[in-house]
Amino acid sequence: MKTLENMTTIEQMEEVTAKLKERAVAAGAETYEDRVKVQTPHCKFGEDGICCKNCSMGPCRITAKAKRGICGADADAIAGRNYLRTIAAGTASHSDHAREILHVLHSTKRDGNYQVRDEAKLLRLAKEYGVKTEGRDIYDVAHEVAEVGLMEFGKPWGHQVFAKRAIKSRQDLWEKEGIYPRAIDREIATSLHMTHMGNTADAEALIRQGLRTGLSNGWGGSMIGTEITDILFGTPIVRKSEGDLGTLEKDMVNIVVHGHDPAFSEMVVTACELKELQDRAKSVGAKGINVVGLCCTANEVAMRHGVRMVGNFLQQENVLLTGVVEMMCVDVQCIFPALASLAACFHTQFVTSSPIARIPGSIYVEFKTETAMDQAKQLIKNAIDNFKNRDPGKIYIPANKQPAVVGYPCEEIIHHLDGVTNSHVDELGSYRPAVDAIKAGVLRGAVGIVGCNNPRVRPDYSHFEIMKELLRNDILIVATGCAAQLATKAGLLNFEAKWACGDGLRRVCDLVNIPPILHMGACVDISRILLLVNGIARDWGVDTTALPIVGVAPEWMSEKAVSIANYVVSSGIDVYLGIEPQLKGSAQVWDLITQGTRKIVGAGFTINTDPKGLVKAIIDGIEAKRAALGI
Ligand code: XCC
Ligand code: SF4
């Protein structure tokens, strides 16, 4: 049994970062820490959300003297508009990623670069979409499913099809409150329209549209992204992996895949297994090819191939500073433009692949579905040929590395619960054993820990502290995104981490044979958490708001995170944030997101930048829900 001593502590992670920082200085390279220094203190108006530049009469800033912009918009209108624009951008990003994946599905061929890997899921989805399947070639079905999916973005009438997966009480509420999500692009465009000069100045109306736009992401874009990715590359199953910088190999050609859209990284991973390329690597004196993942791309390829996870968001520069990365291939989102100049300080080839994420100084190879495999092979050849260009004087591979168990989509969770009681009730299975464990108090509740790192706080520290405290209090954790990768780096994402649990949680983990933190995937896969919570509510017979289950984003930073927080709250799940949203300049908007939405959707944000205070609020929140249920 592993113990506390086997973990990697935040201090140990920071030691490595400090050593790599020395390397950066020696190489004349700048890192984010340098830029944080020159960017702080941040602009107060931006921080408070009360700078408007939505028209060229401005920019207008709200001060004690100037209580209104030139058009008369006040702090509430401006902060509310800025906030809604953030949600729209986050929704657009997740959803456009999903749209790309639908195009990949549309390009599938039996002998093509991309194929259908999960036929059963495709057929289930076809049924849900009303696509005929009988007597049809699976690829014809796939193409029509892709077309129906693409219509979810722009259909002029109707609502998101997947929203029907939500329990009835939620759907009725969305209907009643006028926030049932319509076409995804419609919600994004409406948000931009509402926030144009001369439109909505009413903060509550802006917040409501934020809820609806978020819902079009959670029960629309993100859920489509998850489903279609499973169909294309397989629904994840439980696998072993490893994480942290120690997964880089001194004697191998190291290729890092980074970003979010797995269409590119899947090809790279598949191509690396080809014998011809392995042989080529050996011919240049390497022992083989080592592909590792970063950010959400890491989660995607770890769940489907066991590919090791080299780090999370704020480690992207550290990875290059090791001096052993032959190539970094990126797709979209969360990619520092700074990587181009940083790579130039080493032999690393920095390859961008998407017209959506063009970065000066990178090698741009526009990835196309028709030529994907050939492009991936060529890139890997280039990486192999780059192996000889390493500068031995610049090499430092930290030892930090932890084993991890990944790959718990809802299907796997149900499968494990089924093993306990054989309670299988329908095609989708049952969460009843989990419900019973929570009712009995063996488990006090469950928490989804998600999101990024953020240099506004001590990186990874909040994740770590919150996770340890929740486990100790018999609260099961599901994790995605960069939060899941902190769990990986720390050594909490494996069966042995049971030492960190309270007695109840440990018993459940033993019985169900699961680790205490379940890796559910990338950020788009928070849609899986929606389905999980929804399934539990269904099997319990209560609305989601009644459940002792909450979401927490201790170190969030992206616009996507704000969109996510909005769909989670709209789905009846309280959200705890460790970073303040940029809207403090409006007491009304602050009040709306922390209190007001509770009156609309029955859930809201609790914001606390102190991790100890935040985790206490989470536990108190869970216990209050239990008390209200009488358990
Ligand atoms: Fe990006 Fe998804 Fe955040 Fe990590 S967690 S920094 S969004 S990679 Ni989504
Ligand atoms: Fe100023 Fe109004 Fe224009 Fe915003 S929309 S920049 S507040 S005049």
Side-chain angles (χ1 to χ4, degrees), residues 3 389 571:
T3 60
N389 297 324
S571 300

Side-chain angles (χ1 to χ4, degrees), residues 259-260 295-296 313 333-334 451-453 481-483 523 557-558 560 564:
H260 286 76
C295 277
C296 277
F313 180 62
Q333 300 168 13
C334 300
C452 328
N453 323 118
C482 289
C523 308
M557 64 83 204
S558 74
K560 290 176 289 174
I564 294 167

Side-chain angles (χ1 to χ4, degrees), residues 68-84:
R68 287 172 180 271
I70 290 167
C71 67
D74 60 11
D76 304 328
I78 292 173
R81 286 176 183 176
N82 288 337
Y83 180 64
L84 179 53

Side-chain angles (χ1 to χ4, degrees), residues 388-507:
K388 62 175 185 303
N389 297 324
R390 268 190 204 174
D391 177 346
K394 286 185 175 170
I395 294 175
Y396 165 57
I397 304 181
N400 290 3
K401 179 165 77 177
Q402 287 284 353
V405 179
V406 299
Y408 287 92
C410 296
E411 289 88 341
E412 277 286 352
I413 295 175
I414 285 180
H415 173 70
H416 279 78
L417 292 174
D418 268 355
V420 183
T421 59
N422 279 320
S423 62
H424 203 83
V425 284
D426 58 28
E427 188 189 5
L428 295 171
S430 161
Y431 295 102
R432 265 179 219 149
V435 171
D436 292 342
I438 298 175
K439 278 188 184 166
V442 192
L443 281 185
R444 302 307 291 174
V447 171
I449 304 190
V450 304
C452 328
N453 323 118
N454 191 326
R456 274 178 181 272
V457 293
R458 188 177 168 190
D460 283 329
Y461 176 74
S462 310
H463 284 137
F464 204 44
E465 291 303 305
I466 291 171
M467 284 176 185
K468 282 189 297 187
E469 192 59 13
L470 293 178
L471 295 180
R472 210 168 63 76
N473 281 279
D474 292 326
I475 293 167
L476 180 80
I477 296 174
V478 298
T480 62
C482 289
Q485 296 196 21
L486 173 272
T488 307
K489 288 192 289 179
L492 284 172
L493 208 68
N494 59 57
F495 295 102
E496 282 77 21
K498 280 181 284 196
W499 62 264
C501 305
D503 291 343
L505 177 56
R506 190 177 309 126
R507 278 217 312 279

Side-chain angles (χ1 to χ4, degrees), residues 550-585:
V550 305
V552 47
E555 304 180 22
W556 70 274
M557 64 83 204
S558 74
E559 290 167 315
K560 290 176 289 174
V562 185
S563 174
I564 294 167
N566 271 273
Y567 74 63
V568 173
V569 156
S570 304
S571 300
I573 304 159
D574 283 331
V575 170
Y576 293 77
L577 301 175
I579 304 279
E580 292 173 326
Q582 293 162 341
L583 44 73
K584 266 195 300 181

